[in-house]
Amino acid sequence: MTAALCLGTYRVRAVSQAARTALAAGSPWVDTAPNYAHGRAQEELRPVLGEYPTVRVATKIGFFTEEQGRTALAEGVLTRGEAAGRHSLERGFVRWQTERSLAALGRVDLVFVHNPEHHGHGLDRSALHGRVREAFTALEEFAQAGRIGGYGVATWSGLTSGAFSVPELLTLARQAAGSAEHHFTGLQMPVSLIMDAPIAQALNGGGPLVQAKDAGLITFGSAPLHGGELLDAMTSELVNLIRPGLSAAAAALLAAGSCPGLDAVLTSASTRDHWDDVAKALTAPLTVRELRRVTGELAGE
């Protein structure tokens, strides 16, 4: 099966318009963050989410806008130095930011710790893991109280740089919960023909996506077009290798969405034509053999 096509709101300008388009087309998830759309994404999503009560909502903690940092500083949540850093995993801040997201969105099914490796610059692995455990502890409190469905990690490079692994994150979640009954339920990472290591690993039966699925986590692939950069690399030969007749965007998303172990692939398509173009392609996933041929060609094999 291909991953479900879901709305990601990073770099989306007209958030409410994109959300109405995606949810009308059947997107099962909306992924956002407090710092998206210059800090306005969550508020713009609220009325649309009210129209679609069954869609699931994922947001994040960690990054914040300059204005949000000033508010946190004024409310005594962050020190001046922490506010200047624009990213925090301190337990008090995680509680504060999660409360604000709940108020802005109305409901939250999944809260990702956003790029925790960013918080680890200058820290050794054990110190970074301690910060992640602190964030997990705060989110575990929300989950145990039934205020969020669960939490996870959305990472750009943490799993590929060696900052942490899926088994380590699961251990930190058990420590945060004080038992094996934790609420660590999701993993988000880049999956594309540019950042294709997760695809190659999954095709060989290993890597973080397979580890996450084996642990029962929901897996999300972010940046399938690599911020739009991939479209310039989608030659007609590559598109035809993936599937003749597709647009460049549909071919790229089909390759990412066919990755074994991936539940959801995030796209920022804002028009119904763009959404339907990709969704149609994803109805017929690439086979393992076809996907191996594509990744092998890109690797020069």
Side-chain angles (χ1 to χ4, degrees):
M1 293 180 62
T2 44
L5 186 64
C6 300
L7 177 67
T9 57
Y10 182 55
R11 291 185 176 176
V12 172
R13 294 179 182 176
V15 174
S16 59
Q17 175 187 327
R20 282 196 170 86
T21 297
L23 300 190
S27 174
W29 281 90
V30 172
D31 177 79
T32 191
N35 62 315
Y36 288 179
H38 305 290
R40 299 189 304 271
Q42 296 190 138
E43 286 77 8
E44 291 184 22
L45 281 171
R46 175 70 180 262
V48 187
L49 296 176
E51 298 167 18
Y52 293 89
T54 61
V55 69
R56 304 181 75 186
V57 184
T59 190
K60 305 177 181 72
I61 58 93
F63 287 107
F64 51 88
T65 66
E66 185 176 353
E67 181 181 351
Q68 291 162 356
R70 285 195 296 268
T71 303
L73 176 63
E75 296 184 12
V77 180
L78 294 175
T79 66
R80 190 169 299 279
E82 290 167 342
R86 303 281 287 275
H87 186 276
S88 176
L89 299 184
E90 299 297 331
R91 194 185 304 190
F93 177 77
V94 171
R95 290 193 186 105
W96 181 85
Q97 195 173 41
T98 303
E99 288 282 7
R100 285 171 60 93
S101 291
L102 282 165
L105 290 163
R107 67 181 192 276
V108 174
D109 296 283
L110 184 55
V111 178
F112 287 115
V113 178
H114 198 179
N115 290 2
E117 66 273 15
H118 178 88
H119 202 61
H121 295 320
L123 298 178
D124 60 28
R125 291 180 86 252
S126 63
L128 172 60
H129 291 190
R131 297 288 177 86
V132 174
R133 184 170 51 246
E134 284 290 298
F136 282 4
T137 300
L139 294 172
E140 189 68 47
E141 294 169 1
F142 280 92
Q144 289 181 8
R147 301 191 63 204
I148 64 174
Y151 60 92
V153 165
T155 178
W156 183 256
S157 62
L159 291 165
T160 54
S161 68
F164 42 79
S165 66
V166 171
E168 287 172 332
L169 293 175
L170 289 164
T171 295
L172 293 173
R174 288 190 290 270
Q175 292 170 351
S179 75
E181 301 302 315
H182 59 78
H183 291 82
F184 182 84
T185 55
L187 180 73
Q188 183 182 134
M189 66 182 299
V191 179
S192 72
L193 291 178
I194 289 179
M195 301 183 76
D196 65 349
I199 300 176
Q201 292 168 333
L203 286 171
N204 291 322
L209 291 175
V210 170
Q211 292 172 335
K213 285 303 296 178
D214 287 347
L217 306 185
I218 305 168
T219 55
F220 295 76
S222 62
L225 299 181
H226 203 71
E229 294 177 22
L230 181 55
L231 294 177
D232 292 334
M234 295 298 294
T235 63
S236 58
E237 291 81 9
L238 179 55
V239 170
N240 286 334
L241 178 65
I242 295 169
R243 181 162 296 154
L246 295 183
S247 68
L253 274 152
L254 175 60
S258 297
C259 178
L262 193 62
D263 292 316
V265 60
L266 301 174
T267 181
S268 58
S270 56
T271 70
R272 186 60 187 259
D273 286 346
H274 288 162
W275 185 276
D276 289 346
D277 175 50
V278 175
K280 182 179 179 181
L282 286 172
T283 60
L286 298 178
T287 65
V288 168
R289 182 177 179 180
E290 288 170 333
L291 191 54
R292 281 188 190 279
R293 188 172 70 237
V294 173
T295 57
E297 180 73 19
L298 292 174
E301 297 174 2

